Amino acid sequence: MAGRPGYLTLPIFSVLAAIGYVYYTTVLVAVPRWLGLSTAAGVANAAAFTALAAACLATYAVAVRSDPGRVPPGFAPDVEDAGSTVHEIKRKGGDLRYCQKCCHYKPPRAHHCRVCKRCVLKMDHHCIWINNCVGHENYKIFLVFVLYAVVACFYAMILIIGSVLHSVPKDEQSGSDSSRTSIIICAVILSPLALALAVLLGWHIYLILQNKTTIEYHEGVRAMWLAEKGGDLYHHPYDLGVYENLISVLGPNIFCWLCPVLNTVGNGLRYRTSYDIPISTPPL
């Protein structure tokens, strides 16, 4: 049973245990077997992996604890606002989207999470591994965590493979059974984990380049099918071009894109669309 957002659950303990075990096996088993902790190469790799593991833990903690974005009490869309060129409506009836459970209107791209029992701004999905929703406020930190985790997994695999290929002297063979067991277990954990995280990272990079959430992707598939059925073309309204899409998620400062900091753009209640008139365009 899922706990309240921000609380420790079994999946969170599983992630922390996996990080701890991979770190122990990589730094205290694989590196000493291959490079040795008394060499410059061994110390450098141990320090680099330690820093990477610390970054994973820090970003994971922020993703678990950060609020994905709440809808302000009494929110109501301003249909007469000329600056809001897109208003999301229900498929049936054409009314503005209203959450019957939260008793308020839904801002653009917001959805109700059945696990968190509230509406989340620009909701992407509810992730059991962080016991939290991924939304407007914490999407970037979630993405950075997955990126760090992918790099850490492949880095650990390289060090583990190197330790396996490294020939251990015969007089040390008797004391290396436990280290071999640790390496085998770690390899069994890392292989599917690295693949799954790499696929997840690739998926979200694809979404970011089109300025979509996971929910919007699935909604877009249906919208595209309906548009083609009616002889029209479907265009995702929030797709502003690759660079603008990256800025909208990662922030305006390109040097902070991969930094574990929360620098969301906007308040999550209104988003630029491809129908907006550019500021640089002179009035007619």
Side-chain angles (χ1 to χ4, degrees), residues 13-36:
F13 279 116
S14 301
V15 172
L16 296 176
I19 293 175
Y21 189 79
V22 170
Y23 176 79
Y24 163 79
T25 305
T26 303
V27 174
L28 300 181
V29 178
V31 173
R33 277 172 57 96
W34 183 19
L35 304 170

Side-chain angles (χ1 to χ4, degrees), residues 77-230:
D78 186 0
V79 295
E80 297 182 357
D81 183 7
S84 297
T85 54
V86 172
H87 292 284
E88 296 181 356
I89 59 176
K90 295 180 180 179
R91 293 193 187 99
K92 296 181 180 180
D95 298 327
L96 293 173
R97 298 190 309 143
Y98 187 85
C99 182
Q100 299 293 342
K101 296 178 180 178
C102 297
C103 298
H104 60 59
Y105 287 98
K106 294 181 182 179
R109 316 183 80 176
H111 295 274
H112 186 87
C113 176
R114 291 175 293 179
V115 180
C116 297
K117 299 184 180 355
R118 66 181 177 90
C119 288
V120 176
L121 297 177
K122 194 186 174 185
M123 179 179 173
D124 186 89
H125 69 287
H126 183 90
C127 179
I128 64 169
W129 301 106
I130 63 174
N131 189 33
N132 200 359
C133 271
V134 178
H136 173 75
E137 297 290 341
N138 65 349
Y139 185 88
K140 183 210 168 179
I141 203 71
F142 171 80
L143 180 72
V144 172
F145 162 69
V146 174
L147 174 63
Y148 287 169
V150 169
V151 175
C153 284
F154 283 101
Y155 191 7
M157 289 182 68
I158 292 173
L159 293 174
I160 287 175
I161 292 174
S163 69
V164 171
L165 298 178
H166 176 70
S167 58
V168 181
K170 291 184 178 181
D171 57 348
E172 298 180 12
Q173 293 279 354
S174 58
S176 62
D177 291 341
S178 60
S179 64
R180 284 202 201 95
T181 302
S182 297
I183 287 176
I184 291 174
I185 295 175
C186 190
V188 171
I189 294 174
L190 278 176
S191 298
L193 184 61
L195 178 60
L197 287 173
V199 171
L200 181 63
L201 178 63
W203 168 248
H204 280 283
I205 290 176
Y206 166 77
L207 291 177
I208 288 175
L209 294 179
Q210 300 191 47
N211 205 353
K212 291 181 180 179
T213 64
T214 300
I215 295 175
E216 289 170 350
Y217 169 81
H218 293 292
E219 291 179 341
V221 171
R222 174 178 172 79
M224 185 178 298
W225 177 77
L226 291 174
E228 291 178 352
K229 187 177 179 180

